[in-house]
Structures are given as C-alpha cells and as structure tokens.
Amino acid sequence: MAPRLHPADNRQPGKTGTLRTFAGSSHRMPTIYFDILSDADRIIDDEGVELPDTCVARQMALELLGQAILDGSRRGTPGVTKVELRDQNGPFLRVSAAVVIEKL
C-alpha cells in the first residue's frame, strides 16, 4: 500500500464540524476528509482536517492530487487518480486526473 498522504501537517483528530462553508459564521469549522482513489490504491482518510471553507479544501485537494500522481509515477502506475472530499454529510467534491503512458 502507498504511504499515507494527508493534506495538512496540523490536523487535529477528534474534532468535528457542522457546515461545509461558514465564512463569517460563528460555527465550528467542518472536518473535511480527503480520500485518495486510484487504479492501484484506495486510501481512506479517517482523521480529516478542519478547514475554514470549501475554497481552501479545493486547493488542498488539487495539491494532494498532484502529490498522489507523483507518488504513482515513482511506481510507474498509469491510470486515473481521484481525490474525493467528504464531510459529515458525505462526499461533496472530486478532483481527478489521468496519467497516460504511451510508447512512441
């Protein structure tokens, strides 16, 4: 199995949120989970990270997708890699990319 990737070094396990977006709100920050899915691996995030809004979550998902593709390239693994974001209400965003290796 691939090494566990996590979108933030400052995660705080055990905290849960209540909303997907809450800019200007007094509610707790939502806990967002970043699951990495590829043809070779399935890494389910069971810790999550509290984020201020879905814009930050989207940016982190793109960065995590890039890192997952790099990790897959070291193993020579082509195919589709996805990062699915979910909160307490379920999945709400997916970013994906396809890696194609063609011999010319």
Side-chain angles (χ1 to χ4, degrees):
M1 184 170 217
R4 179 163 170 68
L5 300 173
H6 202 283
D9 293 331
N10 61 348
R11 60 185 178 246
Q12 298 177 352
K15 293 190 176 182
T16 58
T18 57
L19 301 171
R20 284 194 179 154
T21 59
F22 59 95
S25 170
S26 62
H27 295 283
R28 291 181 68 180
M29 290 192 287
T31 299
I32 307 297
Y33 301 89
F34 295 77
D35 300 328
I36 302 169
L37 312 169
S38 71
D39 296 340
D41 291 315
R42 181 177 184 90
I43 302 170
I44 303 301
D45 180 2
D46 59 356
E47 295 179 27
V49 63
E50 288 186 356
L51 296 174
D53 58 48
T54 55
C55 291
V56 173
R58 179 177 178 251
Q59 181 61 38
M60 291 180 73
L62 288 168
E63 291 174 12
L64 187 58
L65 177 63
Q67 186 61 51
I69 291 169
L70 287 173
D71 290 348
S73 72
R74 291 183 187 109
R75 295 187 308 267
T77 308
V80 176
T81 300
K82 304 175 214 170
V83 177
E84 292 186 354
L85 281 65
R86 58 188 165 82
D87 62 10
Q88 67 184 18
N89 299 313
F92 66 92
L93 182 71
R94 176 186 304 133
V95 296
S96 62
V99 175
V100 178
I101 299 173
E102 297 179 280
K103 189 172 184 178
L104 303 177

